[in-house]
Amino acid sequence: MFRQRPHLLWLLVPFVLFLVAPPWVNRVDPVVVGLPFLAFWLLVSTLVTPVAVWLAYRGDRRLMKRRAEVAK
């Protein structure tokens, strides 16, 4: 499936940011913008997730347009 639609790999970004990475970024010591690093990480992950979903949507929309043009 990913060979035909590689743009869907963008949907793995939120998975990695929220589920895979936190065990490695769960630190209190480095404080970024007044937040513990884990809280900062989750904030940034929340802001990056819509961008990743939009990129997957944009790629899928372009693919569907190309398929529609070929079908004509």
Side-chain angles (χ1 to χ4, degrees):
M1 181 165 122
F2 289 119
R3 287 183 183 174
Q4 296 173 352
R5 299 166 70 183
H7 52 274
L8 293 181
L9 290 172
W10 282 109
L11 297 176
L12 290 175
V13 170
F15 175 77
V16 171
L17 289 175
F18 282 108
L19 296 177
V20 176
W24 287 280
V25 298
N26 190 9
R27 307 280 183 262
V28 176
D29 230 2
V31 177
V32 182
V33 193
L35 296 170
F37 189 68
L38 180 60
F40 178 74
W41 180 270
L42 292 174
L43 176 67
V44 169
S45 299
T46 302
L47 297 174
V48 168
T49 296
V51 174
V53 172
W54 175 75
L55 287 169
Y57 169 74
R58 186 183 72 165
D60 210 33
R61 192 175 57 184
R62 286 183 178 176
L63 180 65
M64 293 305 152
K65 282 183 183 178
R66 279 191 223 132
R67 286 184 180 173
E69 289 172 2
V70 170
K72 286 184 181 179

